[in-house]
Amino acid sequence: MTDPLAPQPPIGPRAAASPLYQEALRLRRAGCTVPEIARRVGVARSTAWRWIGHLPLERDEAEVRARRQAHSKVMTDALWAEHRAARDAARAEAVARAAAWVKRLRHRELVMVGAAMYWAEGTKAKPWRPHDCRVRFVNSDPMLIALFLRFLEEMGVRREALRYRVSIHESADAAAAVIWWAEVVGVSPGCFQPTSLKRHRPASVRRNTGEGYRGCLSVEVPQSRHLYWKIEGIMKGMADEDPSRGR
């Protein structure tokens, strides 16, 4: 039985029974606007308004907020697209110009850069274990890994003599990471030691995820005490350099 107090459609009974009108009512009750209903049903906006204008628009607040955010993102992206393109082009030009300026590092430059890089990122002896002088470099940046390997070669260490180990979260593709790092360093995946898996904690917030995540690579030099001493000496020489020397 029809509720006499309910809002009545301002159309005749034949039109009210049409499938398009019924679909328009359904969309309105689902929270659609008049333009949305007109587009989806395939009628003019004036017709859609005449059909469902008597029904109040009830929309889910979460849905409304999500639509507004999506619309805002589209507008922002369109507004800043040209600026971002110009910024990216300027960055690429600056990087290329600086890379061309470097050209090829000479022996002295490469040794000092490699020693400084190792002293910042590599394993060092601690006060509680002062004689643990192992050369071991761990990093996730392939550029730093490649530069460290060049430094080792400059110091007379062959790549085949090194120990490689991937450290990665257990939720990632460890096998694929080993293959990827093997290509970076230029050795066979079979030369790698067993992968070190980090326990996955769902509660923690991690940004190093996705297809681009390949963990960290550990590069260790066996029997590297004397090499460690050399690196320590190079750093001491650079840190103790007299600024007045050479004037």
Side-chain angles (χ1 to χ4, degrees), residues 41-242:
V41 175
V43 297
R45 290 192 181 188
S46 58
T47 301
W49 173 253
R50 183 164 53 85
W51 284 357
I52 54 86
H54 63 289
L55 296 176
L57 180 61
E58 298 179 0
R59 308 182 72 176
D60 182 82
E61 290 300 323
E63 180 185 354
V64 172
R65 186 162 51 251
R67 289 190 180 187
R68 287 176 179 172
Q69 290 175 349
H71 177 72
S72 177
K73 184 179 184 305
V74 169
M75 297 299 293
T76 301
D77 289 346
L79 180 65
W80 288 97
E82 184 175 351
H83 166 76
R84 289 169 179 163
R87 177 201 60 193
D88 293 344
R91 176 181 179 179
E93 181 183 357
V95 170
R97 187 165 54 246
W101 172 81
V102 173
K103 294 184 179 178
R104 183 71 183 178
L105 294 176
R106 295 188 292 270
H107 172 79
R108 177 181 174 85
E109 295 171 333
L110 183 54
V111 167
M112 289 193 295
V113 168
M117 180 180 67
Y118 180 82
W119 213 248
E121 296 286 335
T123 301
K124 297 187 290 292
K126 304 296 183 184
W128 55 89
R129 46 181 177 83
H131 303 297
D132 186 9
C133 300
R134 293 178 299 167
V135 175
R136 180 170 173 263
F137 187 79
V138 182
N139 211 274
S140 62
D141 190 329
M143 285 197 302
L144 290 184
I145 292 292
L147 184 58
F148 179 65
L149 293 179
R150 287 179 57 194
F151 162 72
L152 291 180
E153 290 176 337
E154 204 72 16
M155 299 298 288
V157 181
R158 296 181 300 106
R159 294 195 181 195
E160 294 77 10
L162 302 175
R163 294 173 182 164
Y164 304 97
R165 186 192 301 272
V166 173
S167 178
I168 194 168
H169 285 271
E170 61 182 357
S171 58
D173 190 342
V178 170
I179 295 174
W180 187 86
W181 278 114
E183 292 179 355
V184 170
V185 301
V187 300
S188 168
C191 297
F192 278 56
Q193 295 183 314
T195 301
S196 176
L197 296 178
K198 303 177 184 178
R199 188 178 296 269
H200 178 61
R201 298 178 180 175
S204 62
V205 179
R206 290 177 46 228
R207 297 187 182 276
N208 55 344
T209 59
E211 295 182 359
Y213 170 61
R214 300 180 179 93
C216 297
L217 180 65
S218 168
V219 181
E220 184 173 350
V221 183
Q223 301 177 352
S224 51
R225 178 182 300 176
H226 286 84
L227 176 59
Y228 183 94
W229 292 347
K230 288 182 181 179
I231 295 174
E232 187 175 15
I234 294 169
M235 289 304 301
K236 179 174 175 55
M238 290 194 293
D240 294 346
E241 185 179 7
D242 185 356

Side-chain angles (χ1 to χ4, degrees), residues 9 11-23 25 51:
I11 60 176
R14 179 177 299 179
S18 71
L20 293 181
Y21 174 73
Q22 296 300 325
E23 177 64 9
L25 293 182
W51 284 357

